[in-house]
Amino acid sequence: MKGTSFIQPIHMGQSKNVKYHFICTFFVLTIAIYCSTGTLAPYANTLNLDYPGYPTADPECQYLYNGDYNHFEALFRLLDGEPREAWNFSVLLRRILYNILAYPLMKLCGHDLGGIITNLLLTWIAFITFTLFILRTIGIQGAIAGMWLLALYPGITYYVGQPFLYAFIVPGSLWLYMLLWLLERSETVRSAGLISLSMGVLFTGYDFIVFFGLAAIMLLLLRKQFLYIPLMIAGMLFPSILWWGSLRYFYGGSFRSNNTQVYSIIIKSYFLPKDYDKWFELLKEFPGLLLFNFFFSCFLFLPILFLFMLFISVLMKRQQYFTLVDITLLGSIFLIFIGNNLAPPYEGWQMRGEWMARLYQPIFVVLVMSIVRTYHTIMHRKNERFTKWLAYSLLIITLVGNGVVVFGPILNDPWRVSSQLYWRFYQHSAPESMQINLEKYGRRPLGFCRRQP
């Protein structure tokens, strides 16, 4: 397999600069994670108090958890051998990988603490492996920029403070991007099969298949490796089919739920449209929805930096801003967005609109890789002092903006930047919910217990 040298050992001591930045970013990432636990976890404290039980407050220390806590905890109960009625109600039974990985620590330290420790470990591993990937495939300057962008990426801190499988989204997206990179360079059936199985395993952690699975098929089509496609599909589906069979025949459970039926409902709506007037009104909203979801699925600052870097790249007449992996992943995400937002009116759970920009979060990998690729190129050009200064300044502004978001809860959300961007990422409550919860429960990460009187 060509181009796989990034998995070889890399001696960080080869560059004191890289080593220094790695230590700093690793520390910043760890602090950012810790400052997103307890009452500071955005996935919990952005929930509205108008609904009973939302968010869930830990009775012992009054830490906050998302209101769907039982749906996530049910996966632990399943693995722990509890009766079927204790877990079969969950709409998340198809996403088992995270809980398999977290189960030992959950069993040892308790569900909540064990899950958060698992999140920390998964994020650390993903950060390290992706840094090495950038270092090998792009270079030192790109790796430095990439480390800082990941260390202060709000998509990590939004979920990481909750002992739930959504904390797997960022690590899984990073690893799947690397697997797509390997697939592009795959020249044997064996390597393609191993890649497809690896992707299939990660697909049992979250519904990545709609983005990365489609991207893999598109990549093979563009490379005219048509004979690999059946193998790729089989490998990607096999782990999920294996888990489906185990769940059904050994545990007596089922994947089927309102959560899993939504895409079939959307597809059917195209064949049986009913209200054409309403459909036309929905279609007029599409351009605004596209812009909104692009900017807020990755918390505004990163997409803005991406556009600036794209503009600079065009001015530089740089030929390769996007790789084939970038193009196929962008294409798959865009196709899913089109399918969701151009659909005729349908009943039930709505996948269209502004309220769930988080659905398209995996696009952040393409943005990060495109940014660091251009940044690295700029920093190695001669006689480009202004362009280098501009790129460096834009990067610093983005990091400061993301830092304000990430550390917003612990700082009592100055200027309301954190609450507003977290709310636009997932509008599951009123925009002022974070302030209300911080005032009521305090700003307390794990370890700062406030017992209920």
Side-chain angles (χ1 to χ4, degrees):
M1 200 185 308
K2 290 184 179 180
T4 58
S5 61
F6 77 91
I7 62 175
Q8 301 300 323
I10 295 176
H11 301 290
M12 301 298 283
Q14 292 174 351
S15 171
K16 292 182 179 180
N17 202 25
V18 170
K19 186 175 181 180
Y20 167 77
H21 282 279
F22 176 79
I23 293 171
C24 291
T25 53
F26 192 85
F27 175 77
V28 169
L29 173 65
T30 303
I31 295 300
I33 291 172
Y34 179 66
C35 290
S36 302
T37 61
T39 65
L40 305 171
Y43 187 42
N45 66 25
T46 51
L47 273 169
N48 199 329
L49 296 175
D50 291 342
Y51 299 96
Y54 287 79
T56 299
D58 169 50
E60 183 176 352
C61 290
Q62 295 289 285
Y63 299 138
L64 298 181
Y65 296 96
N66 184 274
D68 290 330
Y69 182 98
N70 287 338
H71 285 277
F72 294 100
E73 188 190 32
L75 297 168
F76 172 78
R77 297 176 193 161
L78 185 158
L79 295 177
D80 207 36
E82 294 193 25
R84 184 173 178 271
E85 55 270 17
W87 50 262
N88 194 47
F89 62 89
S90 177
V91 299
L92 303 169
L93 296 180
R94 66 193 182 280
R95 304 171 181 172
I96 195 61
L97 178 61
Y98 169 83
N99 281 80
I100 291 175
L101 298 174
Y103 182 79
L105 283 170
M106 285 182 169
K107 194 68 176 175
L108 179 65
C109 305
H111 175 272
D112 298 347
L113 181 58
I116 293 173
I117 295 174
T118 299
N119 297 347
L120 181 66
L121 295 174
L122 287 173
T123 306
W124 277 350
I125 294 169
F127 177 78
I128 293 169
T129 53
F130 204 72
T131 295
L132 296 179
F133 172 74
I134 299 175
L135 189 58
R136 283 292 189 182
T137 59
I138 295 178
I140 291 176
Q141 294 298 327
I144 290 172
M147 283 188 282
W148 281 106
L149 288 172
L150 287 178
L152 289 168
Y153 175 52
I156 292 174
T157 52
Y158 185 84
Y159 290 120
V160 76
Q162 301 281 275
F164 306 149
L165 60 87
Y166 285 173
F168 189 69
I169 293 175
V170 170
S173 296
L174 296 174
W175 292 326
L176 283 163
Y177 184 94
M178 290 190 280
L179 287 171
L180 286 175
W181 187 90
L182 287 173
L183 180 64
E184 184 187 358
R185 288 151 181 78
S186 174
E187 294 182 344
T188 66
V189 173
R190 180 176 177 272
S191 62
L194 290 173
I195 291 167
S196 68
L197 280 173
S198 299
M199 294 180 74
V201 170
L202 294 176
F203 291 163
T204 63
Y206 184 68
D207 296 340
F208 293 118
I209 192 168
V210 294
F211 299 128
F212 292 93
L214 180 58
I217 301 304
M218 292 170 63
L219 191 151
L220 293 176
L221 286 171
L222 291 174
R223 294 192 68 205
K224 299 182 180 179
Q225 294 178 311
F226 306 117
L227 296 179
Y228 283 12
I229 292 176
L231 173 66
M232 197 72 200
I233 294 173
M236 291 190 298
L237 292 179
F238 178 73
S240 292
I241 293 172
L242 184 63
W243 169 234
W244 173 83
S246 301
L247 179 65
R248 180 168 183 177
Y249 295 106
F250 290 99
Y251 293 96
S254 173
F255 283 4
R256 188 175 179 82
S257 68
N258 293 335
N259 193 281
T260 59
Q261 296 176 38
V262 62
Y263 284 109
S264 64
I265 292 173
I266 292 173
I267 293 171
K268 289 178 182 178
S269 73
Y270 280 96
F271 295 97
L272 298 170
K274 297 177 181 179
D275 190 338
Y276 286 92
D277 290 336
K278 186 176 180 181
W279 189 11
F280 181 70
E281 292 299 316
L282 292 171
L283 292 178
K284 290 193 295 185
E285 298 175 1
F286 182 82
L289 294 177
L290 179 62
L291 289 174
F292 184 95
N293 282 274
F294 171 73
F295 284 110
F296 295 111
S297 62
C298 296
F299 303 92
L300 187 61
F301 295 106
L302 187 66
I304 290 176
L305 177 62
F306 166 80
L307 293 177
F308 271 113
M309 288 296 191
L310 178 59
F311 179 70
I312 293 172
S313 182
V314 171
L315 291 180
M316 290 169 52
K317 297 181 180 180
R318 181 168 164 263
Q319 298 298 313
Q320 190 185 27
Y321 188 71
F322 296 115
T323 65
L324 187 59
V325 172
D326 297 332
I327 292 169
T328 54
L329 186 52
L330 281 173
S332 68
I333 294 172
F334 184 60
L335 286 175
I336 297 301
F337 178 83
I338 288 175
N340 288 340
N341 288 277
L342 293 186
Y346 59 89
E347 296 181 357
W349 186 267
Q350 297 293 307
M351 300 295 285
R352 72 170 93 244
E354 298 180 350
W355 77 280
M356 198 164 56
R358 70 175 183 85
L359 182 66
Y360 308 102
Q361 185 184 6
I363 198 175
F364 88 92
V365 192
V366 176
L367 304 191
V368 168
M369 287 300 294
S370 299
I371 289 167
V372 300
R373 204 177 292 119
T374 299
Y375 184 83
H376 181 82
T377 301
I378 292 171
M379 292 301 161
H380 280 80
R381 288 174 69 97
K382 296 180 180 180
N383 303 319
E384 293 280 358
R385 294 182 64 181
F386 175 76
T387 307
K388 291 180 181 180
W389 173 85
L390 179 61
Y392 182 78
S393 300
L394 290 170
L395 178 64
I396 294 299
I397 291 170
T398 301
L399 295 176
V400 171
N402 281 342
V404 172
V405 178
V406 165
F407 293 104
I410 192 70
L411 298 174
N412 204 27
D413 193 19
W415 313 294
R416 301 297 184 260
V417 174
S418 186
S419 59
Q420 288 297 315
L421 290 187
Y422 278 138
W423 175 71
R424 283 170 171 77
F425 178 68
Y426 187 20
Q427 298 180 21
H428 57 170
S429 273
E432 66 273 9
S433 297
M434 178 181 285
Q435 286 86 39
I436 295 173
N437 285 318
L438 292 177
E439 183 177 348
K440 179 176 180 179
Y441 295 99
R443 290 174 283 151
R444 296 178 295 106
L446 291 181
F448 292 86
C449 185
R450 186 179 76 185
R451 300 187 184 278
Q452 196 171 22

